[in-house]
Every structure is written in C-alpha cells, then in structure tokens.
Amino acid sequence: MSYTLTTPLYYVNDRAHLGSAYTTLACDAVARYRRLIGESVRFITGCDEHGQKIQRTAEAAGVTPQAHCDAVSEGYRQLWARWQITNDRFIRTTDPRHRSIVEQFFARVEAQGDVVEGRQQGWYCVACEEFKDDPADAEAPSCSVHQKPLEWRDECNLFFRLSRYQGEIEALIRRPGFITPASRRREVENFVAQGLRDFSISRVELPWGIPVPGHDGHTFYVWFDALLGYLTALLEADDPADLNLVTQRGWPAQLHVIGKDILRFHAVYWPAMLLSAGLPLPDKVFGHGFLTREGQKMGKSLGNVLDPEMLLERCGSDAVRWYLLRDIPFGDDGDFQQQRFLDLVNNDLANTIGNLLNRTSSMARRWFEGGVPPAGGAVEPTHPLALIAAACRDRYRPAMEQLDFRTAAEATLELAIAANGYLNEQAPWSRMKQDGNREQVAADLYAVLEATRWVALLLAPIVPDLSGRMLVQLAQDPSWPWWDALVWGRLEPESPLPEPSPVMARLELEEPL
RNA sequence: GGCUCGGUAGCUCAGCUGGUUAGAGCGUGGGAUUCAUAACCCCAAGGUCGGGAGUUCAAGUCUCCCCCGAGCCA
C-alpha cells in the first residue's frame, strides 16, 4: 500500500513559525504511523518561493529573490531536520523541474479550453497577493488583514474556467471524508453553492514567478504554481520532469494536511485544476485549526510568537510534540498555555509513563538476575493488562487513521495508568518480603513490563524519541515490524535489561518561554 | 448584512439518533504507600450544561429569539 501525504508548501516570506511546525509535526505523526503499519509512504513538504511579496522582501533586504529563497528555505529544511521530521521530499517551487511540470500542466489545461483571458481591475493587496472587493472609487483603501494600503491594478490576466466544474466539485465535496473535519464542510459547500467563478491564474508585472508559456509578460499566480509542487515533489531524484510520471510515483495523494485558511483552495480550486489536467483527485483534505497563545493571537505586533526553534532547544521535541498532539483536538483551534504544557508533559510523559518504566525495570533487575522475569501465566492474552492493552490498541488505531491524535494519545496513556494501578494493587515490593511469592511477583512484573513495551510502541508515531529511549531500556529490537510487535507476550522472558535511567526528564523552565 | 462553527466543573474538553443521581484529564484539597523521576495509587470538592421562551411524559441533546467568541462569504 502506498500513502502520499503533504504539508502545505510554506511561503518563504519569513522564517518558520509555530503554525508551520504544528502542521508538519502532525503530518510527521501520520507518516510515521503509516510506515509502522507497513505502508510505503511519501511524505511531502517544501516551500512556495514565488510571488511579489517575496520579491519585495528580498529587495528590501538588498538581496536577489533567489538568494532570499535559498536562505529561508534552507532554514526550513534545517528546522525540520532538527525536529526529526521524516519527510521524504522537500520541494521548492524554484526547482527547475517544477517549472517544467507547471508548463506541462498548463498545456493540458489550455488544451482543454480551460484558460481564458480576462481583464481584472481593482484594489490589490500585495501582502495577500490578491484583489480585494473595495469599490473602485474608494479613497486610499487598506487591507483588512494586513492594515496596509491597497494598490490600484488594472491588468489583463489569464483565468482558469473553474465555473465549468461546478457539478463535479459539488459532487466531490459531498463525498464523506473528503473534507475533514466534517464541521468545515458546510462552509465550503456554501461557497460552492454560490456558483464558482473563474479565477485568475496569472499576474503581469511580476517577474519573480514562472512565466506563462505563450503569454508574454505573464507569470503564474500562486495557486497555479505552489499547488503543483505536490506533483513535482513526487518525481524521483533522477526522473525527468515529466508530468505523465506522477501517477506512477504516488499521485493521487491520500491526504493533504493544511491550515483551515487555505481549505477552499485545496478542496475546490485544486481538484478542478486536476480534473482539467486529467489527473486523479486526492482522497482527503484535512483543515486543521490555528494556535493561539494564552488566549491571544500570536503575532509580531504583540511580540508573543513562539519560535519553534526555541521551543525545540529549550523543551525538546517529545515535549512539544506530545503537548500539541495530545492536548489540542486536531482540527479545532487550540491555545498554547505554558502552565498546561508543563503540567501535561510532566504528568503524562515523565511521571506516568517514564516513571512506570523506571520503577518496573528496577524491581525486575533487582529481584530477577538483572532481567525480565519469567512470565508464568502473564503471557496469557486473558491477563487483565493484556485485555486493557488490546482495548487501547483497538481504540488507538482508528483514532490515528482519522488524525485524532488526541484519542490515540489518551488510549496510550490509559494503558500506562492501568499498569501503574496494577502495580500498586499487586504491590510486588511487599510480596517480595515474604517467601513463596516469587512466581507471582515475576508474573506481575512481566505483565507490567509488557504493558510498558506496548506503551513505548504506541508512542512511536507521536513522540518518536521517547519511544525509542523506552525501547532501548526494554532491550527491544527497533527493527521488529511494529504491528507484529503489538501482540501480547512478545517480550522475551529472562532477557537482560539495561540499567534504568529516567527516559523523560521533568520539564522545568528557569524563565517563561 | 447572509452563512458556518463553538459557548458544559478554575482550565482543556467528552457527552451517538432526546430518557436513571451530567463525565474525563489537568489544577486544588485529603488519604494510602515506598518499587520509582518529591514519582505512583485511592478519595473529595462539585457545574441552574451562555440567556430566555417553546415542543415533549422526558432536553445539555429538538424548535425559535437573544448575547458572546472564532471564521467564511458579501
């Protein structure tokens, strides 16, 4: 089974912010999960590098647009590497092959008769890179999003005949599961129901873009450039830039993960473009929510942005991944609260999970020749912990399939809590003080170690580092097929255990983030 | 202005097609325990389910109006 998923291609106007990290982290969890269950994954991310805003930013900084893009996109690449994002591709829309793919795509669309010329005039926001609806006689209007003055434009642009695809798009977005979460579907439906209007796909006077073949002075507008990056990205390293290849390289994508702000472009414009170009449509578009911080919008003006670089540096990848994925329902807006972040990381990861491994491993080593105790009856799938483990796994799997990381994380945590509770009930430390209990203690510790092994495995897509550290302390072979490993009793009795040391330190902040 | 999505314990949220005393986690308070990362385990406090009206034997759960927040479209 092949599974292609994408993050948006991030706009290199500025360096990465927490929002892009959030999206990317979520995709990484999906990608890791799909690989673990044995699918062949193509996880695509990258950068969108054209546009007037970039050009002006570069000019302002006194560098060429290309130099600016090189620098910023390299920043993204390195950031993802440091977060240990497992993207298989990193596509840049300034990639020479991308230009060729765009040209071929455009040729197909044009051949369909879906490109027409049209005049577009109105007030234009360079920051949004789009026309606004302010009346023509407005005096010095400004952009409501950017608070910047609008520029009057009067240009002849190329339009994509989106209106032709009204019926097909209506059918598509009605398809259950195409737009997720379902709560966002209505919004798109209403938009489509108003009647789809052709949209412009080129700009004039915009040198920093891909030239439209056969239309001097035009370059492609963002959606006819950046979205196609998903296609270009699929090409293998030594593939020619041939659009015909993409269907053999993993297109259509199974999943586009995006912020809710660009849902329309992915759920309406993009599918129509694909239909026109004779390419199959993606299975699912997931529009996730936005992050605020302590109840406030993050922004430069407020000076309250959370820098993913700094978060990684000071808190570590596991902590941030866990907090974001475990506490914020993916799809809803979420609020980053420092105190809660600390509470959850320390409670869940350090106390509940880390300490569980630590306490169990030290008892086992102390009383059973430094290793896993003989299992006795604890290998039975009817063991109380085995039943709970199976139930958690059964809740976990569909949750991950639906990108419901929160439920998956909770299911995992539940197993750890059950194991801690079981230990307290059985109290092996008391039993060991009397003779004749050795077998019982062995079985109990085995069961808890086994449950802990499961916890480590289930954690793998969400907090891969921590999962790895746990598996090391359980002396597990990480190359064991994951889903097969989730069978009760696979922990080898009487195998040695390394000396335990905390797998997850409590997070203490000297000063606020 | 039209529309969408929310408004449930201090906080973050569960509550399917209406039906016993409204749930979980965190935080808070208390207890128990010592294997462990001052960790783990148990218990408690306790919210007129945004407000109002209505439908129903019965509404957090349906209808209407209003208020607040986020967003989409104009």
Side-chain angles (χ1 to χ4, degrees):
Chain A
M1 277 275 276
S2 141
Y3 195 93
T4 299
L5 78 160
T6 70
T7 72
L9 302 190
Y10 302 114
Y11 200 51
V12 296
N13 187 48
D14 206 348
R15 52 191 305 214
H17 54 272
L18 188 60
S20 358
Y22 180 49
T23 315
T24 307
L25 253 16
C27 283
D28 190 50
V30 176
R32 287 172 183 270
Y33 172 76
R34 307 301 323 194
R35 285 191 201 99
L36 287 169
I37 61 172
E39 295 184 343
S40 151
V41 171
R42 293 179 185 82
F43 172 14
I44 292 168
T45 188
C47 288
D48 168 16
E49 308 191 350
H50 291 303
Q52 184 150 30
K53 191 154 55 157
I54 287 170
Q55 189 178 340
R56 290 195 181 175
T57 302
E59 276 165 13
V63 296
T64 64
Q66 187 64 55
H68 172 265
C69 291
D70 288 349
V72 178
S73 80
E74 184 56 25
Y76 271 92
R77 189 197 287 276
Q78 284 177 13
L79 181 66
W80 300 152
R82 251 171 269 143
W83 277 96
Q84 296 177 281
I85 300 300
T86 61
N87 57 297
D88 300 289
R89 300 292 153 77
F90 187 96
I91 179 68
R92 299 178 55 187
T93 56
T94 51
D95 183 322
R97 284 197 302 186
H98 180 62
R99 174 170 175 166
S100 173
I101 291 293
V102 170
E103 287 168 355
Q104 292 168 52
F105 192 97
F106 177 70
R108 289 193 187 189
V109 173
E110 199 169 35
Q112 281 297 307
D114 282 336
V115 176
V116 292
E117 281 190 22
R119 185 166 174 205
Q120 200 169 21
Q121 58 174 209
W123 293 101
Y124 189 83
C125 172
V126 174
C128 300
E129 309 220 14
E130 63 186 24
F131 284 88
K132 299 292 177 182
D133 293 315
D134 296 61
D137 56 4
E139 273 183 41
S142 65
C143 169
S144 56
V145 182
H146 293 93
Q147 325 285 341
K148 286 185 185 161
L150 300 176
E151 299 174 12
W152 178 259
R153 296 284 179 90
D154 181 356
E155 49 190 56
C156 212
N157 289 329
L158 300 175
F159 282 74
F160 172 70
R161 295 177 72 176
L162 179 64
S163 51
R164 275 187 164 184
Y165 295 90
Q166 181 79 30
E168 280 148 295
I169 294 301
E170 279 176 359
L172 173 68
I173 61 179
R174 231 180 283 128
R175 210 168 76 193
F178 176 65
I179 295 178
T180 4
S183 53
R184 294 205 200 294
R185 196 165 88 192
R186 192 66 56 83
E187 203 167 284
V188 179
E189 278 175 356
N190 289 346
F191 171 75
V192 174
Q194 292 176 351
L196 292 174
R197 293 187 299 182
D198 299 344
F199 68 94
S200 69
I201 58 171
S202 76
R203 291 287 125 99
V204 293
E205 294 172 43
L206 190 135
W208 189 239
I210 296 176
V212 180
H215 299 267
D216 277 356
H218 287 76
T219 52
F220 284 108
Y221 179 55
V222 53
W223 300 113
F224 220 86
D225 172 353
L227 289 168
L228 308 194
Y230 299 144
L231 267 17
T232 309
L234 284 166
L235 297 174
E236 310 272 342
D238 42 15
D239 276 343
D242 181 355
L243 184 57
N244 294 306
L245 269 176
V246 299
T247 48
Q248 299 157 47
R249 295 288 186 265
W251 190 260
Q254 273 58 52
L255 174 68
H256 289 308
V257 178
I258 52 168
K260 59 182 183 178
D261 55 330
I262 51 175
L263 181 56
R264 220 173 67 216
F265 302 103
H266 283 75
V268 178
Y269 291 24
W270 177 226
M273 287 160 58
L274 287 165
L275 285 168
S276 175
L279 287 165
L281 305 183
D283 290 347
K284 185 192 281 280
V285 178
F286 195 111
H288 73 247
F290 290 149
L291 259 24
T292 51
R293 177 175 183 187
E294 313 293 347
Q296 288 195 304
K297 216 171 199 167
M298 283 187 263
K300 276 184 222 163
S301 46
L302 277 170
N304 65 343
V305 291
L306 273 174
D307 175 22
E309 191 92 50
M310 176 278 289
L311 272 180
L312 177 64
E313 203 64 38
R314 291 185 57 189
C315 308
S317 132
D318 290 324
V320 180
R321 282 178 188 252
W322 180 254
Y323 173 62
L324 258 20
L325 297 181
R326 124 101 230 232
D327 199 42
I328 297 164
F330 197 58
D332 293 359
D333 288 344
D335 190 34
F336 190 105
Q337 299 178 336
Q338 177 168 305
Q339 190 56 53
R340 187 164 175 82
F341 169 53
L342 293 176
D343 285 342
L344 285 188
V345 167
N346 289 337
N347 272 302
D348 299 344
L349 262 26
N351 297 350
T352 302
I353 292 174
N355 183 51
L356 169 67
L357 171 57
N358 201 251
R359 67 195 297 214
T360 315
S361 177
S362 34
M363 283 187 275
R365 281 169 48 89
R366 179 168 314 156
W367 300 321
F368 296 93
E369 290 77 48
V372 178
V379 285
E380 295 300 326
T382 52
H383 188 280
L385 282 181
L387 296 176
I388 292 169
C392 290
R393 178 242 272 136
D394 292 345
R395 216 145 58 78
Y396 176 98
R397 184 164 191 169
M400 283 304 283
E401 309 262 331
Q402 291 163 45
L403 280 68
D404 182 359
F405 309 113
R406 177 181 236 243
T407 299
E410 273 172 2
T412 309
L413 201 53
E414 212 165 274
L415 179 55
I417 290 170
N420 271 317
Y422 186 78
L423 268 185
N424 282 51
E425 273 170 39
Q426 303 303 323
W429 51 89
S430 313
R431 286 213 166 110
M432 277 309 280
K433 288 173 183 161
Q434 298 143 15
D435 291 338
N437 283 330
R438 193 175 166 78
E439 243 176 71
Q440 177 68 50
V441 169
D444 288 342
L445 289 181
Y446 177 87
V448 174
L449 280 171
E450 173 64 349
T452 308
R453 186 181 68 90
W454 277 52
V455 170
L457 289 167
L458 294 176
L459 247 21
I462 301 174
V463 278
D465 264 16
L466 173 59
S467 168
R469 275 177 268 132
M470 291 178 73
L471 291 171
V472 166
Q473 289 210 16
L474 287 162
Q476 293 301 296
D477 177 0
S479 66
W480 201 349
W482 189 74
W483 205 251
D484 292 345
L486 281 171
V487 170
W488 187 263
R490 284 287 166 94
L491 180 65
E492 186 71 26
E494 301 181 63
S495 58
L497 287 174
E499 184 175 345
S501 77
V503 285
M504 184 76 199
R506 290 176 61 85
L507 195 53
E508 317 278 356
L509 294 178
E510 304 277 314
E511 48 192 90
L513 291 172

